[in-house]
Amino acid sequence: MRRSGKVAFMVLLLLLPLAFWGAERARAQNPTLYWGSTGWHVMRVQQRLAQWGYYDGPIDGVFGYKTWKAVRYFQWKNGLAVDGVVGPATWAALGFPSYTPTPTVSRGYTTDRDAVLLLARLIMGEAADEPFEGKVAVGAVVLNRMRHPSFPKTIPGVIFQPGAFESVSNGQIWRPLSPEAVRAAGLALAGWDPTGGALYFWNPAKTVSPWVWTRTIITRIGNHVFAR
């Protein structure tokens, strides 16, 4: 990471409490979404609509025809204005009530904050009951995948890759965040990797694909095994 990037992340770590409380009160600020919108806010809508059986398209963060059609169908089924626009009423019906947004510091900080919070959501969904090092380790796996040629090149791409994480499939990724999960995400983004380069993790006490046991195990942290 270049020096400017390291400085930015150090500043980000100092501002994590502000990012956490501001974002949790605003629930990612729930912007109005419509055909042509892009980003991880769209992914949140797509994931929820897919989870509830309204959407069968890709979780790609692109508000196109399939997303628009699914939003309209959801609005019709739930007694909302059928306009294909995700505004406050539709956000609320999807389970994401809107609150007054908190001010942002800058475009760069908002982008970094969103990366921290999305990664923290996965950590919360996958490792809420794990020790702090185990939380950081789960975040590190996402970043290791992002740098690996076999996986998507963005944090949202890795997290929402179909079938990649159980917490995305069962909706646990949207559970309330803890300050510890946010701090773990920030430290993983700053470069701490307790796994030593792992690309996979699983809980041996749960039923998992036999294939994953063919991977080279590196370490175990808490209840999770980490492997390449």
Side-chain angles (χ1 to χ4, degrees):
M1 186 181 294
R2 291 178 298 181
R3 183 175 179 180
S4 60
K6 290 182 178 179
V7 171
F9 271 117
M10 291 306 296
V11 172
L12 175 62
L13 289 176
L14 291 174
L15 292 172
L16 278 176
L18 174 61
F20 170 69
W21 293 116
E24 277 307 283
R25 289 187 64 191
R27 297 291 295 208
Q29 300 181 19
N30 296 348
T32 299
L33 303 175
Y34 41 83
W35 194 320
S37 297
T38 59
W40 82 277
H41 298 287
V42 178
M43 287 184 173
R44 295 171 71 206
V45 172
Q46 291 172 330
Q47 194 275 338
R48 181 56 57 85
L49 289 171
Q51 180 186 354
W52 288 353
Y54 292 94
Y55 178 70
D56 63 356
I59 310 297
D60 58 4
V62 178
F63 199 129
Y65 175 74
K66 276 200 164 187
T67 304
W68 175 80
K69 186 176 179 181
V71 168
R72 286 175 59 87
Y73 181 43
F74 173 80
Q75 291 171 329
W76 177 70
K77 291 287 286 186
N78 288 273
L80 302 169
V82 182
D83 57 7
V85 175
V86 182
T90 302
W91 273 115
L94 287 167
F96 304 117
S98 299
Y99 301 94
T100 303
T102 55
T104 56
V105 176
S106 69
R107 181 173 295 275
Y109 171 67
T110 300
T111 300
D112 290 342
R113 184 194 64 189
D114 287 348
V116 171
L117 293 175
L118 181 56
L119 188 59
R121 290 197 176 281
L122 183 79
I123 290 170
M124 195 69 191
E126 297 285 337
D129 298 323
E130 294 299 305
F132 184 71
E133 184 180 3
K135 288 179 171 65
V136 178
V138 166
V141 167
V142 172
L143 300 177
N144 291 340
R145 288 188 180 189
M146 191 175 70
R147 292 187 284 264
H148 193 278
S150 298
F151 294 92
K153 302 305 178 188
T154 66
I155 289 175
V158 169
I159 288 177
F160 291 108
Q161 187 175 25
F165 296 103
E166 183 182 9
S167 64
V168 174
S169 300
N170 62 24
Q172 287 297 303
I173 189 172
W174 304 118
R175 68 194 297 184
L177 284 174
S178 71
E180 189 175 62
V182 178
R183 188 160 62 93
L187 289 173
L189 284 162
W192 183 19
D193 181 2
T195 76
L199 296 171
Y200 306 93
F201 67 90
W202 66 94
N203 185 337
K206 296 182 178 181
T207 301
V208 295
S209 169
W211 172 86
V212 79
W213 286 103
T214 68
R215 312 308 301 176
T216 301
I217 294 176
I218 304 172
T219 188
R220 179 166 183 162
I221 304 172
N223 293 312
H224 284 146
V225 169
F226 293 84
R228 288 191 180 90

